[in-house]
Amino acid sequence: MSVGKIVQFEKLAKNIQSLIEESISMRSVAYCPYSNFQVGAALLTKKGTVFTGCNIENAAYGVSICAERTALVKAVSSREKEFAVIAVSAEMAGGKITSPCGECRQFISEFAKNGDIELYLTTPDKGKILQTSIYEILPLGFGF
């Protein structure tokens, strides 16, 4: 199954390039002493504000929080609830692209009620960038 399309960094709009760069930068502040798996996220609101996030682990794994949810929590706690784009950066073995986990997909979809949210999933070297959307990677998200 094919989801989204691979895009070249140089061909993206400047605001998307900046968002991707922010997501890559956020990896350096991730707190991940157990997995050593650094993830960064940058979220663009429909008003043009950017919120960033990184993964924050805990010895009790269940209370850890992913980069995507960190950015969303920061945005919502700042009274923002309408989002346009999220960029996520992580480094997987073999240069594979990492996509949001199931919890994050559901969390993001909660805020896509007024329109789909575009996603850019990237490797830190920007060698692979997947352009997709939350409805594309979670077509039947839970809702009331």
Side-chain angles (χ1 to χ4, degrees):
M1 180 169 81
S2 178
V3 175
K5 64 181 177 181
I6 299 294
V7 296
Q8 294 180 325
F9 181 79
E10 300 78 25
K11 293 187 178 180
L12 295 171
K14 293 293 181 196
N15 68 327
I16 300 300
Q17 288 180 358
S18 294
L19 201 66
I20 289 170
E21 293 285 359
E22 282 287 331
S23 76
I24 293 167
S25 173
M26 288 307 297
R27 293 181 66 247
S28 68
V29 295
Y31 179 76
C32 50
Y34 307 103
S35 71
N36 294 311
F37 185 64
Q38 299 173 314
V39 183
L43 169 67
L44 178 66
T45 70
K46 289 187 177 179
K47 292 180 183 175
T49 307
V50 173
F51 290 90
T52 58
C54 63
N55 57 315
I56 304 168
E57 294 179 349
N58 188 284
Y61 285 133
V63 296
S64 297
I65 186 168
C66 299
E68 301 91 303
R69 285 183 285 138
T70 299
L72 282 158
V73 167
K74 287 168 66 175
V76 171
S77 65
S78 295
R79 296 178 171 83
E80 293 281 354
K81 292 184 184 125
E82 294 188 359
F83 310 115
V85 183
I86 301 175
V88 181
S89 172
E91 187 165 15
M92 293 277 296
K96 293 180 183 175
I97 294 171
T98 301
S99 69
C101 71
E103 269 186 68
C104 286
R105 290 176 191 210
Q106 181 61 43
F107 205 87
I108 294 165
S109 75
E110 179 71 19
F111 299 98
K113 293 172 183 164
N114 295 324
D116 206 355
I117 298 174
E118 195 170 15
L119 300 173
Y120 288 87
L121 311 175
T122 184
T123 56
D125 66 0
K126 299 174 282 203
K128 288 185 184 172
I129 300 172
L130 178 67
Q131 178 186 6
T132 187
S133 74
I134 193 58
Y135 288 150
E136 204 167 10
I137 66 171
L138 185 67
L140 299 172
F142 178 79
F144 288 109

